[in-house]
Amino acid sequence: MRRDHQVSVGGIIIASLLLINIVIAALAWIVNAKIAWWFILTLPLLLLALRDVLQSKHAVIRNYPLIGHLRYLLESIRPELRQYFFESDLDGRPFNRRQRSIVYQRAKNEKQTVAFGMQTNPSAPGYEWVAHSIYPVKLQEKDLRVWVGNYQCMQPYHASIYNIGAMSYGALSKTAIRSLNEGAKLGGFAQNTGEGGISDHHLHGGDLIWQIGTGYFGCRDAQGRFSAMAFRKNALRPEVKMIELKLSQGAKPGHGGILPASKNTPEIAAIRLVEPGTTVHSPTHHTEFDSPKGLVQFLQLLRELSDGKPVGFKICIGDQQEFIDICHAISVTGIIPDFISIDGAEGGTGAAPLEFTDHLGMPLYDALAFVKQTLETYDLNGHIKVFAAGKIITGFDILKVMSLGASACYSARGMMMALGCIQALICDSGRCPVGVATQNPALYRGLDPADKRVRVANFHSKTIEATREIMEACAFRSTEDIVPSKFFRRINEYETKSFEEIYFKLKDSSLKSKMQSSLN
Ligand SMILES: Cc1cc2nc3c(=O)[nH]c(=O)nc-3n(C[C@H](O)[C@H](O)[C@H](O)COP(=O)(O)O)c2cc1C
């Protein structure tokens, strides 16, 4: 009641002002045209104010006509204001300014150093470090590579330990995909296609890890089922070095995807083997298998159809028992995948529901430690290489995940930043200001592959260089020496623990009981 009363008073006042303004403007026009302009120009403002008090959608605007708009204006530029004016070097999520800056500096091959010392607080819980040695070593190998492909694989791949994470053409623009591929070629590392299939923009000479999701894009029949013929056609491409079956993704585990009809252009439809102009759903689960045994048998089918290329699966760990069951199926069938990609819950995405992004899935370090122990228990660690993904953008990040069992890593958002991503956090709007995550030609044309491919290659090579330098300082002669007992984290003001203590102690018994239930 009271509110209605206020609004009607406000409305009456503004309507009266409007009327007075019109009358004065008309009179002024007769006497002096110059003064009349002032009144004419204020008319739109008064009309807007009248609209404000009459609308009922925004209470702030209704209660504070005209001025209320300031709230929405400032809110719309809040991220920019924060980032440009108020953010400290250690602020900013998911990547703080210091992290973003090092990616930009490495990509541009600019100054690689920081001045005046540590900015983080070493007494704060969460602070991490690695034990160096007073007897550093010199590594001969410049490149840091790992062989992927066990004795069941016919075409093992000598992968870089740092590769471009899965991001589809569709989530990223054509110029972004092309720049990443050309960067991969320049630097001799691999680009994961993401589940959206292989486009022409992926075919500029860089090595590909072809990812297949639940939509089977690029290897499906008209009904959306897996097509062996279509798969083989793409799998045999010389650029395709490995095949990754996606079970789940850290930012939205257990969530399917939708390709809206508006984004399903004839080009995208041809790549994904779907009907153009229709809405296409990626189911939440695979339709080709429904058990751990079915999964490994499907992987074997992919291995055979690809003439023995390395095959693996990507997973964000949820229910631990399900992963143990997969290992059990591997040991029962004797079909051993060549690699497993572990995505942490902290992983990125173009678009996902908030609850899935913030609360589903196991964080990367816990997941890696669990996977390492499970593979060891089943005696599979020598045969299956683990790839890690989740905020790995510096040499220290790479070494930490290697200490927990990874043999190689992916970077998705790091590579986006190498392309010029400014962490505007609007990948899901189609308005990415730097042309990375958009299909708008006016925006992606600004991203020049000739320049950006060099940045991608630089970011990779400088990060590998930093990794090697830390290995030398810590006297890690090979990746085997990167052990969890050398990495530490502060737990509270008085206590620090090694990664060995945090992630690998006291967990054996619970693992054994889960293994037992897999046998039953
Ligand atoms: C724009 C974007 C698109 C992505 N698309 C896929 C995808 O198609 N398939 C997939 O498995 N993961 C996808 N991801 C997740 C990444 O591959 C990666 O697992 C995750 O972001 C963690 O790595 P990061 O922290 O280096 O970004 C996407 C991530 C981003 C940011």
Side-chain angles (χ1 to χ4, degrees), residues 108-346:
K108 291 181 193 163
N109 203 3
E110 283 174 353
K111 178 178 85 85
Q112 309 282 317
T113 50
V114 292
F116 225 63
M118 181 189 279
Q119 289 204 8
T120 38
N121 176 2
S123 309
Y127 174 73
E128 292 172 336
W129 75 97
V130 56
H132 67 281
S133 167
I134 50 172
Y135 308 109
V137 294
K138 197 81 200 144
L139 293 181
Q140 296 311 318
E141 198 195 342
K142 289 259 170 291
D143 225 10
L144 299 182
R145 288 184 174 270
V146 57
W147 279 105
V148 187
N150 59 43
Y151 68 96
Q152 299 180 350
C153 163
M154 307 295 287
Q155 304 188 46
Y157 176 56
H158 205 202
S160 167
I161 61 160
Y162 200 46
N163 300 283
I164 301 168
M167 290 178 288
S168 308
Y169 171 46
L172 299 195
S173 67
K174 52 180 77 176
T175 46
I177 293 287
R178 178 174 172 175
S179 308
L180 290 173
N181 190 263
E182 292 182 348
K185 182 184 177 196
L186 277 178
F189 50 102
Q191 174 186 24
N192 189 311
T193 60
E195 61 188 301
I198 304 172
S199 69
D200 283 350
H201 319 297
H202 287 103
L203 300 173
H204 290 272
D207 289 350
L208 293 180
I209 299 170
W210 180 25
Q211 187 184 73
I212 296 165
T214 54
Y216 302 112
F217 296 131
C219 56
R220 60 190 253 147
D221 62 16
Q223 284 72 47
R225 305 271 324 214
F226 175 74
S227 155
M229 221 163 64
F231 171 81
R232 193 165 155 77
K233 202 167 149 219
N234 271 324
L236 293 188
R237 288 176 186 274
E239 299 86 354
V240 172
K241 303 296 179 192
M242 312 208 299
I243 289 143
E244 182 181 89
L245 188 70
K246 174 182 162 182
L247 302 185
S248 55
Q249 172 183 346
K252 47 175 180 179
H255 197 268
I258 295 181
L259 175 67
S262 59
K263 280 193 170 178
N264 188 3
T265 60
E267 187 197 11
I268 300 245
I271 297 161
R272 299 194 177 194
L273 302 182
V274 296
E275 192 66 33
T278 58
T279 296
V280 181
H281 295 264
S282 294
T284 52
H285 60 280
H286 280 271
T287 45
E288 293 304 309
F289 52 86
D290 58 6
S291 66
K293 200 167 161 197
L295 161 66
V296 289
Q297 284 166 342
F298 187 63
L299 287 172
Q300 178 63 12
L301 176 68
L302 300 186
R303 183 184 264 153
E304 284 163 15
L305 288 170
S306 64
D307 286 354
K309 290 189 179 174
V311 292
F313 61 92
K314 171 171 180 171
I315 186 168
C316 168
I317 300 290
D319 183 343
Q320 296 183 339
Q321 186 66 55
E322 291 178 356
F323 185 79
I324 292 171
D325 292 345
I326 294 174
C327 292
H328 186 66
I330 292 172
S331 76
V332 168
T333 58
I335 299 169
I336 309 177
D338 300 293
F339 68 99
I340 298 175
S341 305
I342 302 297
D343 199 15
E346 60 272 55

Side-chain angles (χ1 to χ4, degrees), residues 13 21 62 85 111 146 150 179 186 201 235 239 274 286 302 310 317 354 356 400 414-415 417 421 423 429 434 446 465:
I13 294 172
N21 205 61
R62 197 173 183 188
F85 298 108
K111 178 178 85 85
V146 57
N150 59 43
S179 308
L186 277 178
H201 319 297
E239 299 86 354
V274 296
H286 280 271
L302 300 186
I317 300 290
L354 179 132
F356 280 72
K400 280 189 294 178
M415 294 292 176
M417 288 190 271
C421 163
Q423 196 169 269
S429 72
V434 290
E465 205 175 298

